[in-house]
Amino acid sequence: MADEQRITVPADGGRVLEALVAGPDDALPLVFHTGTPSGLVWNAPLAEAAAARGLRTVLYSRPGYGGSTPQPGRLVADAAADVAKILERIGADEFVTAGWSGGGPHALACAALLPVRCLAAATIAGVAPYDSPGLDWLAGMAEENHEEFRAALAGEADLTAFLNGASGSLREISAAGVADGLGGLVSETDKAALTGELADYLAAGLRAAVTPGIDGWRDDDLAFTRDWGLSLDALGHATPVAIWQGDQDRMVPAAHGAWLAANIPLARARFRPGEGHLSLISKIGEILDDLMSQARPPEPDKPDV
């Protein structure tokens, strides 16, 4: 978009955050949390869908990615304070939020911890907490995820070594190479979706994620496997939450979405049979329509007098 702006925002602890913003200053912001790993690159289909609905697109690098200062030991919950700083910087109060994959928990953090300001939230193939009762967290994930999260559970040193090895092939990854690069994590449904703008976006995001190092990726993984620092019971009351999930997902299996929908009060389950982890994001227009219907529901008709 022509008005896309890259900004630097002061954050707590002397850190800075890198963000991309596009859209009218007075429009309601859509804060979109990207997946893991992903650097800060422009997502044209998302921005176009947001603009068509009168929204201002806000993307940012979580700490450790790109130009955002690392925050060792960060929790999922810490995303809310960072988003509040970005909103302050752009002069916005209310907002809506959505998170894809590893961004899902961070969208939930904003809904839980900024409940008056956050009008509605959605997770798109987002992970559930690692210690979720009754959920076998790794079940249904491809072997690549098993290896990664076994390393995360073993501790920071093991995970750092694993990610340093895994990141090498991502630094030069092309759009045509994304499917091969992700290996067993990509279902047949997702392979079919990996074309055009989506493939270009994913390749650029992966390259940007690891070019400066693996701090952001490592700290995301560690945050997922420890306590998130927020209560899911706080969700769904003040801020409506929708859980979007496909059943052909080898990165974040459908059981995660089912668990979140069952354990977030009043959550709206948006399960889509036949969709995978990557193909689900092609429904972004539908997802944003649903998000806005909850953020600003139509007023009931007044009776004639």
Side-chain angles (χ1 to χ4, degrees):
M1 296 178 66
D3 62 348
E4 168 198 340
Q5 294 183 336
R6 188 175 294 260
I7 61 174
T8 300
V9 181
D12 294 338
R15 297 179 294 113
V16 297
L17 297 164
E18 181 185 35
L20 285 171
V21 182
D25 290 350
D26 59 352
L28 181 70
L30 164 67
V31 178
F32 188 83
H33 304 263
T34 56
T36 300
S38 183
L40 188 61
V41 297
W42 195 241
N43 185 330
L46 169 71
E48 290 165 5
R53 290 155 180 83
L55 295 168
R56 188 181 188 187
T57 300
V58 178
L59 307 171
Y60 78 103
S61 290
R62 287 190 292 277
Y65 289 113
S68 293
T69 312
Q71 186 184 11
R74 62 177 163 90
L75 303 180
V76 167
D78 292 333
D82 284 350
V83 166
K85 291 293 186 182
I86 294 169
L87 294 172
E88 179 183 351
R89 168 68 170 77
I90 66 173
D93 183 19
E94 296 178 328
F95 69 104
V96 293
T97 190
W100 183 23
S101 189
H106 300 92
L108 294 179
C110 292
L113 300 173
L114 302 171
V116 176
R117 303 179 69 181
C118 184
L119 302 182
T123 70
I124 308 163
V127 293
Y130 180 77
D131 59 356
S132 299
L135 175 66
D136 186 342
W137 202 82
L138 288 170
M141 291 187 185
E143 180 59 27
E144 289 87 347
N145 268 13
H146 282 251
E147 293 175 1
E148 181 175 335
F149 285 104
R150 279 197 295 264
L153 292 165
E156 182 174 337
D158 285 55
L159 180 60
T160 297
F162 175 85
L163 295 181
N164 278 330
S167 64
S169 62
L170 300 183
R171 291 192 176 94
E172 304 289 336
I173 197 167
S174 65
V178 170
D180 286 343
L182 295 177
L185 293 165
V186 184
S187 66
E188 292 303 316
T189 297
D190 284 334
K191 287 180 183 177
L194 266 175
T195 60
E197 287 183 313
L198 177 59
D200 290 338
Y201 166 72
L202 289 173
L206 290 169
R207 292 192 302 268
V210 300
T211 296
I214 53 89
D215 286 355
W217 190 358
R218 179 198 63 217
D219 292 343
D220 269 358
D221 281 358
L222 293 173
F224 298 145
T225 54
R226 61 168 67 105
D227 187 278
W228 285 6
L230 59 98
S231 169
L232 294 185
D233 290 338
L235 288 162
H237 297 293
T239 303
V241 175
I243 309 297
W244 290 79
Q245 181 71 50
D247 64 356
Q248 302 298 308
D249 194 329
R250 294 180 183 170
M251 297 190 204
V252 180
H256 284 245
W259 192 95
L260 288 169
N263 287 274
I264 295 174
L266 308 178
R268 306 182 320 281
R270 301 291 189 249
F271 297 148
R272 293 295 181 266
E275 296 294 345
H277 194 82
L278 307 180
S279 70
L280 190 60
I281 199 64
S282 68
K283 307 296 181 186
I284 191 62
E286 183 183 355
I287 292 168
L288 294 184
D289 285 340
D290 182 66
L291 190 68
M292 292 308 298
S293 74
Q294 299 301 314
R296 291 178 173 166
E299 295 183 6
D301 293 334
K302 295 181 180 180
D304 295 332
V305 294

